Amino acid sequence: MKKTLAWLLAAAMALSLAACSSADTPETTQDGGETTEPVELTVFAAASLTETLNQIAEDYKTVAPDVTLTFNFDSSGTLKTQIQEGAVCDLFLSAGQKQMDQLDASADTSVNTEGLDFVLAGSRVNLLENKVMLAVPEGNPKGIDSLDSLAEHLGAGDILLAMGNSDVPVGQYTQKILTYYGLDEAALANAGCITYGTNVKEVTTQVSEGSVDAGIIYGTDAFSAGLTVVDEATPEMCGQVIYPAAVLNTSKHQTEAQAFLDYLSTDDAMTIFESVGFSKVA
């Protein structure tokens, strides 16, 4: 009886060791190569990248079939806050340098005032450039044909302008335009001449629905929504509109995240970006 029991225990231990060995050994394909474990990448991206990144994701399936891309699109300010609060994110694409700087330990402390350290060293790139545009609803009821004209109407208090909140890059660019024309944003808002959106898509929707007389948005969003653009802000008015991107050092899939970021700079991906009005950073 004792011999039988000892034999059973030995057999059980052998099976257990074999199972552990099998679990630790990568599976192999028929030709002897190792299979790749599926990876889900979570990408936080500015709302203005929605259409292009969804299209690029379809193409990327053939490049990296074992990688699943999950996107979180919102204003860069909201995304920055979510990352800071511990949200799972592998790659961050911002519509403004400020929001990326606030997460980058190497950025100036006057911007990264909290000493946050989320950007993986060496991964940050200036990926794209966009344009800030003045768009009007169908028919352009107020006859606004330029930013100069917009400024005149705002001064007269006879129009309603849609713009992004102050924590949204497109809102920050708009604030610079208002300052360029010597306009007081707070006074205009109190007079009922300005309405806000939490991201550029909300501003775009207000223009599309004709609930405002004009809106300041990105050229790419105007293109995607089929809106009429009447003017483009110059760099003197609001600076360059640069989209930085970086892998996060909190990512558990840094290699795969870097590979996708590298792909976004390829000619195939850039063709899609450029089709809606983005351009490579000069």
Side-chain angles (χ1 to χ4, degrees):
M1 181 67 179
K2 290 182 178 179
K3 289 184 178 180
T4 302
L5 182 59
W7 183 88
L8 289 172
L9 287 171
M13 289 180 65
L15 287 172
S16 176
L17 288 171
C20 290
S21 176
S22 175
D24 292 339
T25 303
E27 295 181 9
T28 57
T29 59
Q30 290 182 348
D31 61 3
E34 293 184 3
T35 59
T36 304
E37 288 294 324
V39 170
E40 180 178 353
L41 286 182
T42 302
V43 180
F44 280 27
S48 50
L49 290 163
T50 302
E51 293 83 7
T52 49
L53 283 183
N54 279 325
Q55 187 176 347
I56 288 170
E58 289 300 311
D59 294 341
Y60 197 64
K61 290 177 181 178
T62 62
V63 177
D66 296 303
V67 174
T68 299
L69 296 170
T70 299
F71 294 112
N72 177 22
F73 296 107
D74 210 321
S75 74
S76 300
T78 297
L79 297 175
K80 173 262 174 185
T81 299
Q82 291 174 354
I83 291 170
Q84 181 180 353
E85 292 177 348
V88 174
C89 176
D90 299 295
L91 179 64
F92 179 36
L93 288 78
S94 174
Q97 299 283 17
K98 178 180 178 180
Q99 289 72 23
M100 187 67 76
D101 285 343
Q102 290 173 331
L103 297 172
D104 190 346
S106 68
D108 194 292
T109 55
S110 64
V111 182
N112 186 358
T113 56
E114 298 177 76
L116 300 178
D117 183 11
F118 285 88
V119 172
L120 180 65
S123 71
R124 181 172 174 173
V125 295
N126 288 332
L127 184 65
L128 300 165
E129 183 174 1
N130 208 340
K131 301 294 183 184
V132 174
M133 303 288 197
L134 175 62
V136 295
E138 185 177 358
N140 192 8
K142 292 290 186 175
I144 302 168
D145 58 7
S146 66
L147 285 164
D148 289 347
S149 172
L150 173 75
E152 291 175 4
H153 279 286
L154 286 173
D158 61 2
I159 64 167
L160 180 59
L161 170 71
M163 64 177 280
N165 288 340
S166 61
D167 64 337
V168 180
V170 73
Q172 293 161 0
Y173 294 125
T174 305
Q175 289 178 321
K176 291 179 180 179
I177 293 171
L178 295 176
T179 299
Y180 176 85
Y181 281 103
L183 296 168
D184 186 329
E185 178 192 350
L188 290 170
N190 290 333
C193 295
I194 293 179
T195 183
Y196 295 90
T198 61
N199 58 51
V200 71
K201 293 301 182 187
E202 286 191 7
V203 179
T204 303
T205 298
Q206 291 180 60
V207 180
S208 296
E209 293 177 346
S211 59
V212 295
D213 300 306
I216 295 180
I217 59 177
Y218 297 124
T220 53
D221 291 283
F223 177 89
S224 297
L227 291 176
T228 300
V229 170
V230 294
D231 204 358
E232 174 184 325
T234 64
E236 290 73 26
M237 293 179 182
C238 65
Q240 273 188 290
V241 184
I242 304 298
Y243 284 51
V247 177
L248 298 191
N249 56 27
T250 53
S251 169
K252 295 181 179 179
H253 308 292
Q254 293 178 8
T255 299
E256 292 84 359
Q258 184 64 59
F260 181 57
L261 178 53
D262 291 342
Y263 179 78
L264 294 178
S265 296
T266 64
D267 290 343
D268 288 342
M270 278 297 166
T271 297
I272 294 173
F273 284 130
E274 291 170 354
S275 70
V276 301
F278 284 111
S279 60
K280 288 183 178 182
V281 179

